[in-house]
């Protein structure tokens, strides 16, 4: 038909010349080559793997609906991968809260709260992982000692209301 012929003509004009790829010039003096000077083949491969995992992890996290448990895992993964990347490059840098926050599109203060969750006793951390406590509450509880965290845990396990938890936290905080 005439329409098929027109489509085929558009294909021949617009797409056919690029069937084997799009012509472009690749510079051999890229900054990547400069950055990775001195790395052996295995280290270059690992660096590529780390950077690829970073891109995927960041893209997957910022493209999804907010989930504090998943965000905490992404944050831990990104910090580990960035630090490994910096170690491979030999620059001695560790990633800052602000840099991690920028990658995940959250504030550096929120990064601090997520990192504070690492100081929770395992049972309270499990409560966070199951959605029983919020990031902010978890970060607050992380400032308490182990016995005080166990008192909070006891109230969480008995289904204490948010107001009761807040009152107990305030009481424990005043005792410090």
């Amino acid at each position: 038909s005439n329409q098929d012929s027109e489509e085929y003509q558009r294909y021949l004009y617009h797409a056919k010349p690029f069937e084997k790829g799009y012509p472009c010039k690749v510079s051999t003096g890229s900054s990547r080559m400069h950055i990775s000077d001195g790395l052996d083949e295995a280290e270059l491969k690992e660096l590529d793997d780390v950077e690829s995992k970073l891109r995927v992890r960041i893209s997957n996290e910022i493209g999804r609906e907010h989930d504090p448990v998943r965000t905490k895992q992404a944050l831990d993964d990104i910090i580990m991968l960035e630090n490994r990347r910096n170690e491979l490059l030999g620059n001695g840098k560790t990633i800052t809260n602000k840099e991690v926050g920028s990658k995940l599109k959250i504030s550096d203060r929120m990064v601090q709260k997520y990192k504070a969750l690492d100081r929770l006793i395992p049972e309270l951390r499990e409560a966070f992982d199951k959605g029983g406590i919020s990031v902010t509450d978890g970060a607050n509880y992380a400032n308490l000692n182990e016995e005080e965290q166990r008192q909070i845990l006891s109230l969480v396990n008995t289904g204490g209301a948010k107001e009761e938890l807040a009152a107990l936290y305030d009481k424990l905080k005043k005792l410090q």
Side-chain angles (χ1 to χ4, degrees):
S1 85
N2 199 20
Q3 186 177 7
D4 288 341
S5 177
E6 284 179 35
E7 279 186 42
Y8 184 68
Q9 290 304 315
R10 282 198 302 271
Y11 159 77
L12 287 175
Y13 180 77
H14 293 289
K16 179 120 176 92
F18 305 109
E19 280 183 340
K20 294 190 182 195
Y22 191 80
C24 62
K25 181 180 181 200
V26 177
S27 171
T28 58
S30 73
S31 61
R32 171 61 190 259
M33 294 303 288
H34 176 70
I35 288 173
S36 58
D37 281 349
L39 296 182
D40 64 32
E41 206 55 41
E43 290 169 326
L44 277 173
K45 183 179 178 345
E46 183 180 358
L47 182 61
D48 282 342
D49 289 346
V50 165
E51 289 178 339
S52 175
K53 288 175 184 173
L54 269 169
R55 283 190 300 276
V56 167
R57 197 67 174 104
I58 292 166
S59 297
N60 283 343
E61 184 56 32
I62 61 175
R64 293 185 173 169
E65 190 176 315
H66 179 69
D67 175 352
V69 175
R70 192 188 62 239
T71 299
K72 169 63 174 138
Q73 185 59 54
L75 183 130
D76 290 345
D77 292 348
I78 290 166
I79 290 171
M80 186 263 307
L81 289 166
E82 281 286 350
N83 288 336
R84 180 62 185 141
R85 178 183 181 277
N86 289 334
E87 186 181 310
L88 284 167
L89 294 174
N91 64 20
K93 284 179 51 182
T94 55
I95 190 164
T96 66
N97 290 346
K98 188 172 189 162
E99 290 169 328
V100 175
S102 164
K103 290 176 185 302
L104 291 175
K105 304 207 182 310
I106 59 176
S107 70
D108 54 334
R109 178 69 185 119
M110 202 63 198
V111 172
Q112 289 173 345
K113 289 180 180 185
Y114 277 110
K115 283 177 150 184
L117 297 173
D118 293 334
R119 296 192 315 267
L120 289 173
I121 59 173
E123 298 88 348
L124 266 181
R125 175 58 195 268
E126 188 177 326
F128 164 76
D129 290 343
K130 291 180 178 176
I133 60 174
S134 70
V135 175
T136 300
D137 289 341
N140 288 337
Y141 303 156
N143 293 320
L144 301 172
N145 67 37
E146 184 178 344
E147 184 184 318
E148 293 166 335
Q149 287 188 37
R150 294 209 177 278
Q151 289 178 43
I152 294 285
L153 177 65
S154 176
L155 192 53
V156 167
N157 286 341
T158 58
K162 190 155 181 71
E163 298 78 27
E164 291 177 280
L165 284 164
L168 177 57
Y169 172 74
D170 291 341
K171 177 184 160 198
L172 293 171
K173 195 72 180 150
K174 285 178 186 170
L175 294 175
Q176 287 184 335

